[in-house]
C-alpha cells in the first residue's frame, strides 16, 4: 500500500473540535504523523488534496442487523408484537445463507455510502456477514446470534466459539463479540455460560436489553429480577458489553453498568414501532450512549447520522429544553461507538487506523457553513461524503462506492422474490 499525504483541509476530531490540517501522513493503513510538511514526504507518496474538504473520523454503527436489508419494507405499519411474531421471525425462519450474504452486501454498500467505516452486527449465518464485510472492505464486529428458545444452547455456544476462532485471523477487518439475543430469549444460566465463554476467550458480549417496557415486568414475574439485574448476576455486565437499545433501563439499574459497557441507541426504530421514549433521554448524562441503526426492516435505512439527528431532536422535545442535547454532545456520542470495537479507530491521531471521511459541505443542502457540525448532523446527506477510507484504502472515492452496486442490487432483488415465494415459516421464537 502506497503512503498517502493528506494536504490541506479542515479537521473535525472525535470531540467536535475544529482545526486546520497541517499535513497528515498515512502509512500502512494508519495515521503515521500529523503536522508534517509536504517537503518532508518521499517522492513516491500519493498527495491527496483536501484543501476544500472537512476531514473526520469514520462513522461507527454500533448495533445493526445488516442481512435484514433484504427485508426492507416487508413489515410496515404493524405493532411491535406483530412485527416480530407474525412477520419478521417467520420470514427469517426460512432464510438461506445466500439471503444473508445478499442482504449484508446491500447494507454494506449503503453504509459505506453514508460514511460508516465500522459496524457491530448481530445475526445468524455470521460467516456470510463476515464474507460480505471483507468483500466490501469495511470493519465488522460480528456477534453470531444465540437463541435460548431455539434449544441446544450449549451446542450453539460451542459452534459460535469455533466460528469466531476460525475467522478471527482471516482479516484485520473482523472482530467478534458473543451474541446472546436477549434476557427474554436466553435463560440466566445460558447467559452465565456465555459470560464464562467471553471471559475465557477475551471477547465481549453484544445483547438486546430492555427494548420494550413490558419486558421489565415479564422479567420480574418470571425471574424475580429486572433484565439488567439478570445480566449482573450472570456475569454479563462484567464483560465488555454492547447493549442494543436499553431503552427502558430503570434508574436503580444504572449503578450496575460496567465501565466497558456501551448502549447503542436506535431512535428511529422506537418511533416506528411505537416503543415509547423510555428513559434514555432522562438519564442521558449518566449512561455510556452511542448510536446504532438497528436493522433496515425496522429503521428502513442504515444511517447513524439520521439516528443521531433523531436522538438530539427527541431529547430536546421530550426533556422540554432546547439548550440540551447539543451538537458537540451528539458528535461525541456518535464517535463513542468506536471505543466499543477493538479497531483502534475513531480518532485522528498518530497510531490510529486511517478510517476517515472527506466531506464537501459547499453544496446546496449544507451551504453556507456557519457551524460544520450543524451542517453534517442536521443537513448533510451521502452526496456530501465525496471520499471515505478504511485502513487507508478508499471504499468510496469521488462520490462512488467501490463495489459492484449493479450486481448487488440484482442479487438482492432476486433473493427478495424468492423469499416471498417461499413465504413464512414456523418459529419457536416469541417476542
Amino acid at each position: 500500500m502506497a503512503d498517502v499525504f493528506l494536504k490541506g483541509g479542515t479537521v473535525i476530531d472525535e470531540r467536535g473540535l475544529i482545526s486546520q490540517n497541517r499535513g497528515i501522513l498515512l502509512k500502512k493503513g494508519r495515521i503515521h504523523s500529523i503536522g508534517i510538511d509536504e517537503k518532508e514526504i518521499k517522492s513516491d507518496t500519493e498527495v491527496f488534496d483536501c484543501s476544500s474538504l472537512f476531514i473526520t473520523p469514520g462513522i461507527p454503527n454500533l448495533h445493526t442487523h445488516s442481512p435484514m436489508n433484504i427485508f426492507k419494507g416487508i413489515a410496515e405499519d404493524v405493532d411491535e408484537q406483530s412485527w416480530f411474531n407474525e412477520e419478521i421471525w417467520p420470514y427469517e425462519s426460512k432464510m438461506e445463507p445466500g439471503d444473508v450474504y445478499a442482504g449484508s452486501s446491500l447494507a454494506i454498500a449503503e453504509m459505506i455510502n453514508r460514511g460508516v467505516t465500522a459496524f457491530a452486527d448481530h445475526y445468524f449465518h455470521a460467516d456470510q456477514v463476515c464474507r460480505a464485510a471483507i468483500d466490501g472492505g469495511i470493519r465488522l464486529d460480528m456477534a453470531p446470534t444465540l437463541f435460548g428458545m431455539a434449544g441446544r444452547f450449549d451446542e450453539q455456544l460451542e459452534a459460535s466459539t469455533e466460528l469466531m476462532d476460525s475467522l478471527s485471523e482471516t482479516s484485520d477487518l473482523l472482530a467478534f463479540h458473543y451474541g446472546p439475543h436477549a434476557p427474554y430469549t436466553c435463560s440466566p444460566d445460558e447467559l452465565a455460560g456465555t459470560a464464562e465463554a467471553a471471559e475465557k476467550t477475551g471477547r465481549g458480549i453484544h445483547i438486546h436489553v430492555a427494548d420494550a417496557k413490558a419486558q421489565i415486568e415479564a422479567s420480574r414475574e418470571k425471574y424475580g429480577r429486572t433484565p439488567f439485574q439478570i445480566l449482573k448476576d450472570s456475569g454479563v455486565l462484567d464483560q465488555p458489553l454492547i447493549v442494543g437499545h436499553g431503552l427502558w433501563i430503570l434508574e436503580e439499574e444504572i449503578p450496575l453498568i460496567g465501565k466497558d459497557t456501551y448502549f447503542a441507541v436506535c431512535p428511529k426504530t422506537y418511533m416506528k414501532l411505537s416503543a415509547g421514549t423510555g428513559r434514555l433521554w432522562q438519564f442521558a448524562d449518566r449512561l455510556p450512549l452511542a448510536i446504532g441503526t438497528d436493522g433496515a426492516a425496522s429503521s428502513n435505512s442504515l444511517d447513524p447520522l439520521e439516528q443521531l439527528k433523531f436522538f438530539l431532536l427527541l431529547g430536546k422535545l421530550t426533556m422540554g429544553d432546547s439548550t440540551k442535547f447539543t451538537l458537540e454532545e451528539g458528535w461525541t456520542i456518535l464517535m463513542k461507538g468506536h471505543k466499543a470495537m477493538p479497531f483502534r479507530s475513531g480518532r485522528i491521531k498518530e497510531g490510529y487506523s486511517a478510517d476517515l471521511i472527506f466531506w464537501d459541505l459547499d453544496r446546496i443542502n449544507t451551504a453556507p457553513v456557519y457551524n460544520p457540525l450543524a451542517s453534517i448532523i442536521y443537513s448533510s446527506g451521502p452526496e456530501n461524503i465525496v471520499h471515505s477510507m478504511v485502513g487507508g484504502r478508499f471504499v468510496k472515492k469521488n462520490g462512488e462506492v467501490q463495489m459492484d452496486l449493479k450486481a448487488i442490487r440484482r442479487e438482492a432483488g432476486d433473493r427478495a422474490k424468492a423469499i416471498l415465494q417461499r413465504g413464512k415459516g414456523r418459529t419457536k421464537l416469541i417476542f
Side-chain angles (χ1 to χ4, degrees), residues 23-194:
I24 299 173
L25 181 63
L26 311 180
K27 280 180 174 284
K28 298 180 179 179
R30 295 195 173 273
I31 299 171
H32 180 268
S33 53
I34 297 175
I36 187 171
D37 192 276
E38 187 177 358
K39 297 176 182 178
E40 303 176 52
I41 65 175
K42 296 179 179 179
S43 58
D44 59 349
T45 300
E46 179 183 353
V47 177
F48 192 61
D49 186 7
C50 307
S51 56
S52 62
L53 304 176
F54 287 83
I55 307 169
T56 72
I59 294 173
N61 181 355
L62 197 56
H63 178 73
T64 192
H65 312 286
S66 65
M68 296 185 78
N69 262 47
I70 205 74
F71 294 127
K72 187 187 300 179
I74 205 171
E76 299 296 325
D77 302 322
V78 296
D79 61 52
E80 195 168 23
Q81 289 198 2
S82 298
W83 188 89
F84 278 104
N85 299 332
E86 298 176 20
E87 301 294 338
I88 298 302
W89 282 348
Y91 275 120
E92 283 184 326
S93 70
K94 286 191 171 184
M95 281 190 84
E96 299 175 351
D99 300 330
V100 172
Y101 179 79
S104 297
S105 297
L106 191 65
I108 287 164
E110 177 187 350
M111 285 191 283
I112 288 173
N113 194 41
R114 297 184 185 279
V116 174
T117 55
F119 69 105
D121 208 307
H122 199 298
Y123 216 68
F124 48 91
H125 293 309
D127 59 319
Q128 298 298 313
V129 186
C130 292
R131 183 164 71 94
I134 292 171
D135 290 347
I138 193 173
R139 298 195 190 278
L140 163 64
D141 192 308
M142 186 71 220
T145 302
L146 305 169
F147 280 113
M149 287 181 177
R152 298 182 175 180
F153 188 85
D154 290 343
E155 294 179 20
Q156 292 183 58
L157 184 60
E158 183 179 356
S160 182
T161 300
E162 291 175 355
L163 177 68
M164 292 188 285
D165 287 345
S166 68
L167 292 176
S168 60
E169 300 301 324
T170 60
S171 173
D172 62 2
L173 294 173
L174 300 180
F176 296 92
H177 279 64
Y178 283 93
H181 178 258
Y184 73 90
T185 55
C186 299
S187 71
D189 287 344
E190 290 164 345
L191 293 173
T194 306

Side-chain angles (χ1 to χ4, degrees), residues 191-270:
L191 293 173
T194 306
E196 289 176 8
E199 177 73 27
K200 182 178 179 180
T201 62
R203 298 187 177 107
I205 296 173
H206 183 169
I207 185 171
H208 304 82
V209 191
D211 48 312
K213 187 177 183 180
Q215 291 172 13
I216 298 173
E217 191 57 38
S219 180
R220 282 174 167 155
E221 290 180 3
K222 187 172 183 177
Y223 299 115
R225 292 169 288 172
T226 67
F228 279 100
Q229 287 172 331
I230 290 173
L231 295 189
K232 182 61 177 178
D233 293 344
S234 64
V236 170
L237 282 172
D238 297 327
Q239 307 303 319
L241 184 65
I242 298 173
V243 172
H245 311 303
L247 178 64
W248 288 97
I249 186 172
L250 300 168
E251 187 169 17
E252 67 201 55
E253 295 175 312
I254 295 175
L256 303 177
I257 304 303
K259 63 181 179 63
D260 290 325
T261 296
Y262 297 88
F263 283 56
V265 183
C266 312
K268 191 176 179 183
T269 286
Y270 315 149

Side-chain angles (χ1 to χ4, degrees), residues 142-419:
M142 186 71 220
T145 302
L146 305 169
F147 280 113
M149 287 181 177
R152 298 182 175 180
F153 188 85
D154 290 343
E155 294 179 20
Q156 292 183 58
L157 184 60
E158 183 179 356
S160 182
T161 300
E162 291 175 355
L163 177 68
M164 292 188 285
D165 287 345
S166 68
L167 292 176
S168 60
E169 300 301 324
T170 60
S171 173
D172 62 2
L173 294 173
L174 300 180
F176 296 92
H177 279 64
Y178 283 93
H181 178 258
Y184 73 90
T185 55
C186 299
S187 71
D189 287 344
E190 290 164 345
L191 293 173
T194 306
E196 289 176 8
E199 177 73 27
K200 182 178 179 180
T201 62
R203 298 187 177 107
I205 296 173
H206 183 169
I207 185 171
H208 304 82
V209 191
D211 48 312
K213 187 177 183 180
Q215 291 172 13
I216 298 173
E217 191 57 38
S219 180
R220 282 174 167 155
E221 290 180 3
K222 187 172 183 177
Y223 299 115
R225 292 169 288 172
T226 67
F228 279 100
Q229 287 172 331
I230 290 173
L231 295 189
K232 182 61 177 178
D233 293 344
S234 64
V236 170
L237 282 172
D238 297 327
Q239 307 303 319
L241 184 65
I242 298 173
V243 172
H245 311 303
L247 178 64
W248 288 97
I249 186 172
L250 300 168
E251 187 169 17
E252 67 201 55
E253 295 175 312
I254 295 175
L256 303 177
I257 304 303
K259 63 181 179 63
D260 290 325
T261 296
Y262 297 88
F263 283 56
V265 183
C266 312
K268 191 176 179 183
T269 286
Y270 315 149
M271 291 189 290
K272 184 175 182 181
L273 295 180
S274 190
T277 53
R279 302 182 181 92
L280 292 177
W281 286 272
Q282 180 182 349
F283 302 137
D285 59 347
R286 300 168 61 186
L287 293 171
L289 301 182
I291 297 294
T293 62
D294 216 3
S298 60
S299 278
N300 294 80
S301 60
L302 303 188
D303 186 352
L305 276 175
E306 179 187 45
Q307 299 280 350
L308 175 61
K309 175 168 62 178
F310 285 139
F311 175 78
L312 296 178
L313 296 177
L314 282 169
K316 293 174 183 292
L317 178 66
T318 59
M319 302 309 294
D321 189 345
S322 62
T323 68
K324 302 295 185 183
F325 297 93
T326 66
L327 291 164
E328 290 77 11
E329 291 168 348
W331 186 255
T332 301
I333 286 171
L334 177 66
M335 289 296 148
K336 193 179 295 181
H338 285 288
K339 296 181 179 180
M341 297 180 279
F343 297 124
R344 197 166 172 77
S345 58
R347 299 186 69 183
I348 300 180
K349 183 178 179 181
E350 293 172 356
Y352 275 72
S353 299
D355 299 356
L356 304 170
I357 305 175
F358 304 83
W359 303 80
D360 178 5
L361 299 182
D362 189 23
R363 299 208 174 194
I364 195 68
N365 60 320
T366 46
V369 181
Y370 295 107
N371 183 330
L373 286 182
S375 298
I376 290 173
I377 294 172
Y378 287 141
S379 303
S380 74
E383 66 271 26
N384 297 103
I385 300 172
V386 288
H387 315 291
S388 179
M389 59 171 49
V390 175
R393 292 186 174 91
F394 285 104
V395 292
K396 182 177 184 180
K397 192 170 186 179
N398 297 321
E400 299 293 331
V401 175
Q402 304 296 290
M403 299 174 70
D404 188 344
L405 302 185
K406 184 176 181 180
I408 290 171
R409 289 195 301 268
R410 182 174 60 248
E411 179 66 14
D414 291 343
R415 289 280 174 177
K417 291 177 183 177
I419 286 170

